[in-house]
Amino acid sequence: MKVISVLSRKGGVGKTLLSVGVAQVLGEAGHRVALLDRDPEGSAMGWQHGAQAGGIPLPYRVIGPIEATTMAGMDFLVVDTPPNDIRTLQDSARQSHVLLVPLLPGAGEMDRLQETVQALSEVDLQKGVQMGFVLNRLEHDNVSSAMRPALEQLGYPVVAQIRKAVDYQRAFGNLIPAHLTAPFKEALTTLGVKL
Ligand SMILES: Nc1ncnc2c1ncn2[C@@H]1O[C@H](COP(=O)(O)OP(=O)(O)O)[C@@H](O)[C@H]1O
Ligand SMILES: [Mg+2]
């Protein structure tokens, strides 16, 4: 089983969206996927409850920490993590084969990113771990377009870019519409995960 963790010390950057998006595209490609919700706020769990209430079958199952230990036969475990919880971040990172770090455009966001990078640098990661940064909520302005070169200058590979779209917000408790799933596929394939 391949473990993919979505991490950031900052809240509201799109961890849950990226987790759900990645789980969805893997599930739609025919893999057996579980999404582990390690956030005590349970946003990914809430997403699944919304889908159940609406009668929408998701191509993955959201599970809690106890279930996670008994999950067998999955191809992928996607881990959604809480903000401001360095222990959970480091614990998830240690057990992962792929790390995805979402971030928002803005100079202040770059500073906050360093906290996440610092926390990850303290972890004994798996051999051959793949790590990528995902720019989220991009707009057509100078701040957004400056982000990718700035990150790459720091040696942080940008593996996908997600534009700001109200349809992502509206997708809570539902499937992400097909025309908005390309960045999730790109993030995975860029890091060598076959769909
Ligand atoms: N690309 C996007 N476009 C529009 N809204 C977004 C986008 N990414 C995230 N959001 C919204 O921003 C909020 C925070 O996203 P979320 O994935 O819950 O972040 P986190 O899990 O890091 O706290 C949610 O309301 C979500 O719908
Ligand atoms: Mg979240």
Side-chain angles (χ1 to χ4, degrees):
M1 182 177 67
K2 205 164 201 144
V3 181
I4 301 174
S5 283
V6 181
L7 315 156
S8 168
R9 292 200 58 189
K10 192 167 181 293
V13 294
K15 286 182 296 299
T16 298
L17 178 72
L18 186 55
S19 302
V20 167
V22 160
Q24 181 177 321
V25 298
L26 286 167
E28 286 175 344
H31 299 291
R32 288 163 299 181
V33 186
L35 197 176
L36 171 59
D37 193 348
R38 291 196 70 168
D39 188 342
E41 298 239 330
S43 349
M45 276 291 183
W47 195 302
Q48 174 164 266
H49 288 149
Q52 276 164 353
I56 296 148
L58 297 176
Y60 54 89
R61 194 165 131 211
V62 184
I63 56 175
I66 296 166
E67 271 176 291
T69 58
T70 59
M71 287 302 284
M74 287 288 134
D75 300 315
F76 288 94
L77 179 68
V78 180
V79 184
D80 184 17
T81 63
N84 301 314
D85 179 346
I86 197 163
R87 288 177 77 114
T88 303
L89 184 151
Q90 291 180 328
D91 183 54
S92 304
R94 194 173 295 117
Q95 299 175 66
S96 298
H97 308 102
V98 176
L99 306 175
L100 291 172
V101 179
L103 78 153
L104 303 179
E109 302 293 328
M110 295 284 285
D111 281 347
R112 294 298 306 273
L113 182 68
Q114 304 291 352
E115 297 172 8
T116 301
V117 172
Q118 172 66 34
L120 290 173
S121 74
E122 293 163 7
V123 179
D124 212 0
L125 295 170
Q126 304 260 340
K127 250 201 204 112
V129 68
Q130 298 274 26
M131 177 162 165
F133 296 80
V134 177
L135 283 166
N136 186 26
R137 297 187 78 127
L138 286 185
E139 297 184 69
H140 294 288
D141 59 23
N142 294 337
V143 176
S144 285
S145 46
M147 288 300 286
R148 187 173 194 145
L151 283 166
E152 287 177 345
Q153 192 143 36
L154 290 169
Y156 300 161
V158 175
V159 293
Q161 310 196 73
I162 306 173
R163 65 187 174 85
K164 182 176 176 181
V166 70
D167 281 353
Y168 281 119
Q169 244 157 308
R170 292 205 187 107
F172 186 86
N174 210 322
L175 288 165
I176 296 170
H179 71 281
L180 291 175
T181 56
F184 309 115
K185 295 179 184 167
E186 194 189 348
L188 292 171
T189 53
T190 305
L191 291 173
V193 177
K194 286 202 183 74
L195 284 172

